[in-house]
Short mmCIF file of all heavy atoms in Angstrom, two decimals:
data_model
loop_
_atom_site.label_atom_id
_atom_site.label_comp_id
_atom_site.label_asym_id
_atom_site.label_seq_id
_atom_site.Cartn_x
_atom_site.Cartn_y
_atom_site.Cartn_z
N TYR A 39 28.24 40.77 31.77
CA TYR A 39 27.94 42.19 31.80
C TYR A 39 28.27 42.81 33.23
O TYR A 39 28.03 42.09 34.26
CB TYR A 39 26.40 42.33 31.58
CG TYR A 39 25.97 41.69 30.32
CD1 TYR A 39 25.05 40.51 30.49
CD2 TYR A 39 26.20 42.10 29.10
CE1 TYR A 39 24.54 39.91 29.36
CE2 TYR A 39 25.72 41.45 27.96
CZ TYR A 39 24.93 40.37 28.16
OH TYR A 39 24.47 39.67 27.06
N LYS A 41 26.61 45.03 34.68
CA LYS A 41 25.44 45.18 35.46
C LYS A 41 24.97 43.97 36.17
O LYS A 41 24.19 43.99 37.20
CB LYS A 41 24.28 45.72 34.51
CG LYS A 41 24.39 47.15 34.15
CD LYS A 41 24.32 48.11 35.31
CE LYS A 41 24.54 49.56 34.83
NZ LYS A 41 24.57 50.51 35.94
N THR A 42 25.45 42.79 35.70
CA THR A 42 25.10 41.56 36.39
C THR A 42 25.59 41.56 37.81
O THR A 42 24.79 41.09 38.75
CB THR A 42 25.74 40.32 35.61
OG1 THR A 42 25.23 40.43 34.28
CG2 THR A 42 25.27 39.00 36.22
N LEU A 45 23.47 43.91 39.81
CA LEU A 45 22.20 43.29 40.04
C LEU A 45 22.20 42.38 41.36
O LEU A 45 21.43 42.42 42.22
CB LEU A 45 21.74 42.53 38.90
CG LEU A 45 20.56 41.62 39.02
CD1 LEU A 45 19.33 42.31 39.41
CD2 LEU A 45 20.35 40.75 37.77
N THR A 59 10.84 44.31 38.86
CA THR A 59 11.70 44.70 37.69
C THR A 59 11.85 46.16 37.50
O THR A 59 12.92 46.64 37.24
CB THR A 59 10.95 44.20 36.43
OG1 THR A 59 10.71 42.75 36.53
CG2 THR A 59 11.77 44.35 35.13
N LEU A 62 14.46 47.39 39.96
CA LEU A 62 15.79 47.01 39.57
C LEU A 62 16.26 47.88 38.48
O LEU A 62 17.50 48.30 38.48
CB LEU A 62 15.80 45.45 39.14
CG LEU A 62 15.61 44.58 40.32
CD1 LEU A 62 15.33 43.13 39.71
CD2 LEU A 62 16.85 44.55 41.19
N CYS A 63 15.40 48.16 37.45
CA CYS A 63 15.83 49.03 36.39
C CYS A 63 16.23 50.39 36.91
O CYS A 63 17.20 51.03 36.49
CB CYS A 63 14.75 49.13 35.22
SG CYS A 63 14.68 47.62 34.26
N LEU A 66 19.65 50.21 38.76
CA LEU A 66 20.74 49.88 37.97
C LEU A 66 21.06 50.83 36.86
O LEU A 66 22.25 51.05 36.46
CB LEU A 66 20.65 48.39 37.33
CG LEU A 66 20.51 47.27 38.28
CD1 LEU A 66 20.15 46.00 37.61
CD2 LEU A 66 21.79 47.11 39.14
N TRP A 67 20.01 51.42 36.40
CA TRP A 67 20.17 52.45 35.36
C TRP A 67 19.52 53.76 35.77
O TRP A 67 18.59 54.26 35.19
CB TRP A 67 19.59 51.98 33.93
CG TRP A 67 20.31 50.82 33.43
CD1 TRP A 67 21.47 50.94 32.72
CD2 TRP A 67 20.04 49.46 33.55
NE1 TRP A 67 21.81 49.63 32.29
CE2 TRP A 67 20.98 48.77 32.92
CE3 TRP A 67 19.01 48.73 34.19
CZ2 TRP A 67 20.99 47.36 32.80
CZ3 TRP A 67 18.92 47.39 34.09
CH2 TRP A 67 19.93 46.68 33.39
N TYR A 72 12.71 54.42 32.38
CA TYR A 72 12.21 53.01 32.20
C TYR A 72 11.69 52.77 30.92
O TYR A 72 10.96 53.60 30.32
CB TYR A 72 11.13 52.75 33.27
CG TYR A 72 10.73 51.29 33.40
CD1 TYR A 72 11.67 50.29 33.83
CD2 TYR A 72 9.35 50.87 33.11
CE1 TYR A 72 11.24 48.96 33.92
CE2 TYR A 72 9.02 49.60 33.22
CZ TYR A 72 9.97 48.65 33.64
OH TYR A 72 9.59 47.33 33.71
N SER A 73 12.22 51.69 30.19
CA SER A 73 11.77 51.43 28.73
C SER A 73 11.83 49.92 28.52
O SER A 73 12.39 49.15 29.30
CB SER A 73 12.70 52.23 27.86
OG SER A 73 13.97 51.70 27.99
N GLN A 74 11.35 49.59 27.36
CA GLN A 74 11.48 48.21 26.84
C GLN A 74 12.96 47.81 26.72
O GLN A 74 13.30 46.68 27.06
CB GLN A 74 10.78 48.09 25.56
CG GLN A 74 10.68 46.64 25.00
CD GLN A 74 9.82 45.76 25.90
OE1 GLN A 74 8.81 46.14 26.46
NE2 GLN A 74 10.37 44.52 26.26
N SER A 75 13.81 48.73 26.29
CA SER A 75 15.21 48.46 26.18
C SER A 75 15.86 48.21 27.60
O SER A 75 16.70 47.19 27.57
CB SER A 75 15.90 49.71 25.55
OG SER A 75 17.24 49.63 25.67
N LEU A 76 15.52 48.94 28.54
CA LEU A 76 16.06 48.66 29.82
C LEU A 76 15.63 47.30 30.38
O LEU A 76 16.43 46.51 30.93
CB LEU A 76 15.72 49.67 30.88
CG LEU A 76 16.46 50.98 30.87
CD1 LEU A 76 16.14 51.91 32.09
CD2 LEU A 76 17.91 50.75 30.89
N ARG A 77 14.34 46.91 30.20
CA ARG A 77 13.84 45.67 30.62
C ARG A 77 14.60 44.55 29.90
O ARG A 77 14.91 43.54 30.48
CB ARG A 77 12.36 45.59 30.33
CG ARG A 77 11.52 46.36 31.39
CD ARG A 77 9.99 45.79 31.43
NE ARG A 77 9.37 45.86 30.13
CZ ARG A 77 8.72 46.83 29.56
NH1 ARG A 77 8.65 48.02 30.27
NH2 ARG A 77 8.10 46.67 28.35
N SER A 78 14.92 44.73 28.64
CA SER A 78 15.69 43.81 27.94
C SER A 78 17.05 43.63 28.43
O SER A 78 17.63 42.48 28.64
CB SER A 78 15.64 44.20 26.45
OG SER A 78 16.48 43.34 25.73
N GLN A 79 17.68 44.74 28.80
CA GLN A 79 19.02 44.68 29.46
C GLN A 79 18.98 44.00 30.76
O GLN A 79 19.94 43.18 31.09
CB GLN A 79 19.67 46.10 29.58
CG GLN A 79 20.06 46.70 28.33
CD GLN A 79 20.54 48.14 28.55
OE1 GLN A 79 19.89 49.15 28.47
NE2 GLN A 79 21.85 48.27 28.78
N LEU A 80 17.97 44.23 31.54
CA LEU A 80 17.86 43.52 32.81
C LEU A 80 17.64 42.07 32.59
O LEU A 80 18.25 41.26 33.27
CB LEU A 80 16.58 44.06 33.58
CG LEU A 80 16.34 43.43 34.87
CD1 LEU A 80 17.52 43.60 35.93
CD2 LEU A 80 15.02 44.03 35.54
N ARG A 81 16.83 41.69 31.62
CA ARG A 81 16.71 40.22 31.31
C ARG A 81 18.02 39.63 30.91
O ARG A 81 18.28 38.41 31.43
CB ARG A 81 15.62 40.01 30.13
CG ARG A 81 14.18 39.93 30.57
CD ARG A 81 13.27 39.45 29.51
NE ARG A 81 13.34 40.18 28.25
CZ ARG A 81 12.62 41.28 28.05
NH1 ARG A 81 11.86 41.74 29.00
NH2 ARG A 81 12.73 41.83 26.88
N ASN A 82 18.84 40.27 30.15
CA ASN A 82 20.10 39.74 29.72
C ASN A 82 21.03 39.55 31.03
O ASN A 82 21.72 38.62 31.20
CB ASN A 82 20.85 40.61 28.76
CG ASN A 82 20.19 40.62 27.44
OD1 ASN A 82 19.44 39.71 27.06
ND2 ASN A 82 20.44 41.60 26.62
N SER A 83 21.04 40.55 31.89
CA SER A 83 21.79 40.45 33.14
C SER A 83 21.24 39.29 34.06
O SER A 83 22.05 38.61 34.63
CB SER A 83 21.75 41.82 33.93
OG SER A 83 22.49 42.79 33.24
N VAL A 84 20.00 39.17 34.16
CA VAL A 84 19.46 38.08 34.91
C VAL A 84 19.87 36.69 34.34
O VAL A 84 20.27 35.82 35.11
CB VAL A 84 17.84 38.12 34.99
CG1 VAL A 84 17.27 36.86 35.64
CG2 VAL A 84 17.50 39.26 35.81
N ALA A 85 19.71 36.57 33.05
CA ALA A 85 20.14 35.35 32.40
C ALA A 85 21.59 35.14 32.60
O ALA A 85 22.08 33.96 32.81
CB ALA A 85 19.81 35.44 30.83
N ASP A 86 22.47 36.10 32.51
CA ASP A 86 23.91 35.97 32.74
C ASP A 86 24.23 35.53 34.23
O ASP A 86 25.03 34.68 34.46
CB ASP A 86 24.57 37.39 32.44
CG ASP A 86 26.06 37.35 32.70
OD1 ASP A 86 26.73 36.34 32.38
OD2 ASP A 86 26.63 38.48 33.06
N LEU A 87 23.49 36.15 35.16
CA LEU A 87 23.62 35.80 36.52
C LEU A 87 23.29 34.31 36.77
O LEU A 87 24.04 33.54 37.37
CB LEU A 87 22.68 36.76 37.40
CG LEU A 87 22.66 36.41 38.89
CD1 LEU A 87 24.02 36.55 39.52
CD2 LEU A 87 21.71 37.33 39.57
N ILE A 88 22.12 33.88 36.30
CA ILE A 88 21.69 32.51 36.51
C ILE A 88 22.64 31.61 35.75
O ILE A 88 22.97 30.47 36.27
CB ILE A 88 20.18 32.30 36.09
CG1 ILE A 88 19.30 33.05 37.09
CG2 ILE A 88 19.82 30.77 35.94
CD1 ILE A 88 17.86 33.18 36.67
N HIS A 89 23.09 31.94 34.52
CA HIS A 89 24.08 31.01 33.81
C HIS A 89 25.34 30.91 34.62
O HIS A 89 25.91 29.84 34.82
CB HIS A 89 24.31 31.67 32.47
CG HIS A 89 25.33 30.86 31.67
ND1 HIS A 89 26.66 31.32 31.56
CD2 HIS A 89 25.28 29.71 30.91
CE1 HIS A 89 27.29 30.40 30.83
NE2 HIS A 89 26.53 29.47 30.40
N LYS A 102 13.45 33.49 41.33
CA LYS A 102 12.88 34.32 40.24
C LYS A 102 11.39 34.02 40.20
O LYS A 102 10.95 32.89 40.12
CB LYS A 102 13.53 33.85 38.95
CG LYS A 102 13.31 34.66 37.74
CD LYS A 102 14.08 34.19 36.54
CE LYS A 102 13.70 34.91 35.33
NZ LYS A 102 14.09 34.24 34.15
N ARG A 104 7.54 35.91 38.47
CA ARG A 104 7.07 36.86 37.38
C ARG A 104 7.22 38.28 37.99
O ARG A 104 6.70 38.66 38.97
CB ARG A 104 5.65 36.53 37.09
CG ARG A 104 5.14 37.46 36.03
CD ARG A 104 3.76 37.01 35.48
NE ARG A 104 3.08 37.98 34.69
CZ ARG A 104 3.51 38.34 33.48
NH1 ARG A 104 4.51 37.72 32.85
NH2 ARG A 104 2.86 39.29 32.79
N ASN A 105 8.09 39.01 37.26
CA ASN A 105 8.25 40.51 37.54
C ASN A 105 8.97 40.78 38.82
O ASN A 105 9.06 41.90 39.21
CB ASN A 105 6.91 41.21 37.55
CG ASN A 105 7.04 42.57 36.97
OD1 ASN A 105 7.91 42.84 36.20
ND2 ASN A 105 6.07 43.44 37.36
N LEU A 107 12.65 39.46 41.49
CA LEU A 107 13.84 38.62 41.83
C LEU A 107 14.14 38.83 43.24
O LEU A 107 13.90 39.85 43.80
CB LEU A 107 15.05 39.08 40.98
CG LEU A 107 15.15 38.71 39.55
CD1 LEU A 107 16.47 39.38 39.05
CD2 LEU A 107 15.21 37.27 39.41
#
Side-chain angles (χ1 to χ4, degrees):
Y39 309 108
K41 289 295 180 188
T42 304
L45 166 64
T59 308
L62 289 169
C63 286
L66 297 175
W67 293 278
Y72 188 63
S73 66
Q74 187 62 43
S75 167
L76 279 191
R77 283 199 308 271
S78 177
Q79 285 179 269
L80 179 63
R81 273 195 303 276
N82 289 341
S83 288
V84 169
D86 181 34
L87 177 59
I88 290 171
H89 179 261
K102 192 176 170 198
R104 181 168 166 76
N105 218 21
L107 282 179

